[in-house]
Structures are given as structure tokens and as C-alpha cells.
Amino acid sequence: MDALVLRGQIVYAPFPKKLTVRPDAYLVAEGGRVADVYDALPEAYAGVRVEDWGDCLIVPGFNDLHVHAPQFPNRGLGMDKELLPWLNAYTFPEEAKFRDEAYARRVYGRFVRELWRVGTTRAAVFATVHAPAARILAELMGEAGLGGFVGKVNMDRNGPDDLIETTGASLAETERFVEGFAEGRVRPILTPRFAPSCTEALMRGLGGMAARRDLPVQSHLSENEGEIAWVRELHPWARDYASVYDAFGLFGQTKTVMAHCVHVTDDEIALMLRRGVYVAHCPFSNLNLASGIAPVRRFLDEGLNVGLGSDVSGGHRLSMTDVMASAVECSKMRWKYVDGRAPLTTAEVLYLATKGGGSFFGRVGSFEPGYAMDCLVVDDARLSDETPRSPEERLERFIYLGDDREIRARYVDGALLSEPRGG
Ligand SMILES: [Zn+2]
């Protein structure tokens, strides 16, 4: 039988409200999918070798719902700027370098190894406009055993000459990029950078492609007030920012994730709910670029799909535990200074980083039966003290104080991932 049995202190978040904790339990997978979690190993698995991780925590792998791989070299730079000046000063000049495939392979190799290191098992990733480089990124993620979506970025206006495509070439290249994918756990995603970078003709073309090929979509929405005013100027006919994407079939007509959503209106939230559009909440980025504090508690209360994104390099760290801690901190500032809605809890941020964002990739991010067997083994002995701590407390401390030194093993679809060679 193709079964995998891990024993340890099992913690996961099938719901936002409460952690499920199963001490000294057996997490069993068959064919890469979770069979169940058991207190005693059922007779049917009697012959299967148990990987006994003792007192280690076993948690679902982390899902990064929004990250820009080509901005990896810019981490921690330009953090004194807002969105639009930051794009021009740092991001666009770096992204132009990905015309060079050898450069792309080196940077993307390091990016993929870092994803592995910090325990991100699936990610929704922006590449650049360059399709060959985006293909290299998808290959490297696939070879590393990681899952997710990779998008060749589209932009045909309002950018530097060396990144702007013609509308026709942007669509044709994207079509070729999508067709070039082999079957696997890394899949293509349509990636209009954001409305200001894309003409209406380009967005219409991409919306058509999404519908024709049933492709998912990722982009940015209402990150910054200057950006929102610009969108209003560019599309005076539109009721709001979300309606621009919606008019062209890029807002939940197929599976869609929008990063940020810091300043969304009531109408936009209602439309996101109707269409099942995901929010990728990126707290580091929202702080660094002084964009604002997204109303995540409201998103959860309203029943929106929400996950977390590192948004490297608007965000300075790729580690989802750091992003989780920042999400709690941001929610406290919003509670205190903006809307009085309760801050996020440890259970809620674990949910957002696992099942909340994971559901964008399928049945991912939980240990319920049928879910992908994506998990991390966390040895937090370095963080311990003189007092015995519950698994909930240990998880919280791992989120706040832990890093890759605590991660002893990473599994995706039941396969143990070895350290990627790249970079
Ligand atoms: Zn972004």
C-alpha cells in the first residue's frame, strides 16, 4: 500500500475559529492524500513504517497567495517609498533584467530554494513579462516538488519601454506560455499586472482567454489611494476599481485572486462575495509601502475567501510565519485605530496561511480526509523554556520566534522534499 504515516503533535486549522490539536497522533496519507488523523494506528496500516517525529509539531505546509519571484533580489530595498515611486525606482528596473534567461535561472533558483527553506509548499507567483523566464521559474518550482501557479505578467501601457509589450504580442506570448505547460502541480495563471498597466483591449483579450481555457487569474486591487485615483482617471466609465476587471471577465468569472484589497468599497466586497474572488492579504507590503491596513476581520465576517501573501518585495520577508505575525499585528492596529473589530487570533492566521489560501490550489492546507498531504515537521526545542507548553502555545511561539531552523521536514502530496539545488 502506498501509505505514509507520520506520528507527532498534530496541529491544524480546518476552521478559522479554533485549532484542531491531536497530541501523539498518527497522520496517515495514501497516494499523496490525507486518509485521516488517528489516536491509535488502525489495523489496516499495521505493516506500514511509522515515521515517528516524537514531540515535534506537525502542521500543514504554508501557502503564499501572492509573491513576485523577480523582486526577490530587491527584498529590503526602497522601503521608504510608496507604491508608484517604488515601482519606478526599484521594481521595473529589476524586472527588465529577466530578458536574460541565465540571470533568470540564477535568481529564480535562489527564490525557489528560499521558498523550500521557509516551508512554503505552494505559491501563486508573478514572474515578469518575459515568457521564457517565467517558464524557467515554473520548471524550477516543479523540480523542487513545490506546487502552485506561475504567471507571465502582462503590461502594455504605463511602464518603461523595456517592459512594455504590444497588446498583440502580450496575448500571443501568454497563449504560448500557457500551452507550454506540462501536467503537474505547477500550473499557469493569467497575470495582468494591474489595471493601470493593461489597456482595455489587453484585459478583454485575457478575459476571453481565461474563459476559453478555464484559466485562473491573479492581479492587484485597491492597494493604494493614488493607484485608485489613477484607475478612476483611466476608466471613467467604471463604478469602481473592481468593475474594471469585472467588465473584462477578470474578476471571478474563473478562479481569481486579488492582492491587497486595502481600500475596497462595500460594492466591491459584495461583488467579490458573489464571484468568490480571493483576497491575498499582504500585511508586510501594506506597511512597507504605507498603503494602509486591510479590513481582514471584515473579510472573514462577510465570508470572503482570504489567504496571506508575502508580496516579496513590497513585503521584505518570504517566511509565512513572519507574515502571520505581521497579520496579527496589523489587525490590532486596525482594531485600535480604525474600526474596533476584533484582531486576528493565532488560529485565524494559521487558517489563513494554510487552508484559507490553500483552497485556491484545490483541497490543500488541512489534514481533513482527501486533502493533499502537504505538511511541515517543526522541532521547536530551541524555543522551549522551563515550563511545559501546550501545542497551541508552541505553535504561537513558532509563528513569532521560529524560522527555518525549526523545520525538520517538508512534504508535498506525500513526498518528502529535498533541498533544491538551484541558486
Ligand atoms: Zn504584488
Side-chain angles (χ1 to χ4, degrees):
M1 192 195 319
D2 180 21
L4 173 70
V5 180
L6 306 185
R7 185 179 170 280
Q9 315 303 313
I10 294 167
V11 182
Y12 58 112
F15 316 101
K17 284 287 167 221
K18 195 173 178 308
L19 294 173
T20 296
V21 178
R22 302 286 295 271
D24 300 318
Y26 298 84
L27 172 60
V28 178
E30 285 186 51
R33 300 257 143 201
V34 174
D36 214 338
V37 180
Y38 303 97
D39 293 326
L41 194 62
E43 194 60 32
Y45 303 107
V48 180
R49 190 176 69 85
V50 175
E51 294 185 21
D52 191 345
W53 290 99
D55 198 37
C56 291
L57 300 172
I58 299 177
V59 299
F62 300 138
N63 300 301
D64 188 340
L65 207 50
H66 184 73
V67 58
H68 298 258
Q71 296 173 22
F72 188 67
N74 277 351
R75 284 160 8 270
L77 297 177
M79 301 279 88
D80 52 356
K81 294 191 168 17
E82 285 194 42
L83 174 65
L84 302 176
W86 170 81
L87 280 173
N88 289 320
Y90 283 94
T91 302
F92 290 152
E94 179 60 38
E95 290 197 8
K97 298 177 189 169
F98 288 75
R99 182 183 307 278
D100 175 351
E101 290 175 39
Y103 181 78
R105 188 170 287 281
R106 289 197 301 277
V107 173
Y108 287 158
R110 291 183 66 170
F111 168 78
V112 167
R113 192 167 63 178
E114 184 74 0
L115 278 182
W116 173 89
R117 199 172 69 77
V118 298
T120 296
T121 42
R122 303 197 192 232
V125 191
F126 280 55
T128 61
V129 295
H130 313 96
R135 217 168 280 128
I136 289 169
L137 171 60
E139 272 168 35
L140 291 170
M141 282 178 66
E143 284 165 20
L146 303 171
F149 293 108
V150 171
K152 173 225 168 299
V153 168
N154 301 95
M155 45 197 296
D156 68 344
R157 66 172 174 183
N158 294 324
D161 289 345
D162 51 0
L163 283 179
I164 292 300
E165 314 161 287
T166 65
T167 309
S170 187
L171 290 170
E173 276 288 283
T174 303
E175 198 105 41
R176 262 200 300 281
F177 171 71
V178 164
E179 281 170 357
F181 266 76
E183 277 304 309
R185 65 175 72 85
V186 181
R187 307 295 309 149
I189 185 166
L190 297 182
T191 307
R193 175 171 219 113
F194 67 156
S197 296
C198 302
T199 60
E200 295 188 358
L202 178 55
M203 287 191 272
R204 188 174 296 113
L206 290 171
M209 203 184 300
R212 209 168 55 245
R213 295 178 175 274
D214 191 24
L215 288 165
V217 173
Q218 60 181 355
S219 193
H220 300 88
L221 179 68
S222 295
E223 176 174 2
N224 162 293
E225 279 148 338
E227 170 210 15
I228 295 167
W230 192 16
V231 170
R232 200 175 299 129
E233 223 171 86
L234 291 166
H235 308 277
W237 52 266
R239 187 177 59 183
D240 48 37
Y241 195 160
S243 302
V244 175
Y245 293 127
D246 191 48
F248 303 111
L250 296 168
F251 206 70
Q253 286 81 359
T254 59
K255 187 189 286 189
T256 300
V257 58
M258 289 284 158
H260 306 304
C261 307
V262 174
H263 304 285
V264 283
T265 64
D266 293 353
D267 284 345
E268 288 176 308
I269 290 176
L271 185 62
M272 294 177 85
L273 253 180
R274 272 207 306 284
R275 297 255 197 270
V277 171
Y278 279 71
V279 178
H281 172 47
C282 307
F284 272 144
S285 176
N286 296 162
L287 292 175
N288 289 334
L289 301 176
S291 301
I293 309 171
V296 182
R297 166 63 60 200
R298 177 168 180 203
F299 294 156
L300 287 174
D301 287 349
E302 302 240 10
L304 281 179
N305 295 313
V306 190
L308 295 180
S310 66
D311 194 24
V312 156
S313 67
H316 53 288
R317 286 187 186 278
L318 205 52
S319 159
M320 295 307 290
T321 52
D322 293 333
V323 175
M324 282 183 245
S326 181
V328 174
E329 290 167 345
C330 279
S331 72
K332 288 177 179 164
M333 291 300 105
R334 182 141 185 127
W335 163 65
K336 182 87 179 156
Y337 293 112
V338 185
D339 62 12
R341 289 180 187 247
L344 298 174
T345 64
T346 303
E348 285 168 335
V349 285
L350 182 70
Y351 172 84
L352 294 176
T354 56
K355 189 177 174 181
S359 62
F360 192 73
F361 305 104
R363 301 193 78 190
V364 168
S366 182
F367 295 148
E368 294 156 82
Y371 272 70
M373 176 59 165
D374 294 3
C375 73
L376 308 175
V377 176
V378 175
D379 179 354
D380 59 344
R382 185 180 68 95
L383 309 175
S384 65
D385 62 287
E386 298 290 316
T387 307
R389 302 292 178 185
S390 68
E392 290 94 331
E393 290 172 318
R394 291 170 54 193
L395 172 76
E396 183 176 18
R397 191 149 53 184
F398 170 56
I399 289 171
Y400 277 88
L401 301 181
D403 55 41
D404 62 292
R405 285 174 289 182
E406 276 64 53
I407 304 177
R408 293 267 300 273
R410 302 135 177 94
Y411 294 83
V412 171
D413 288 331
L416 179 66
L417 304 187
S418 50
E419 182 168 0
R421 286 189 312 270

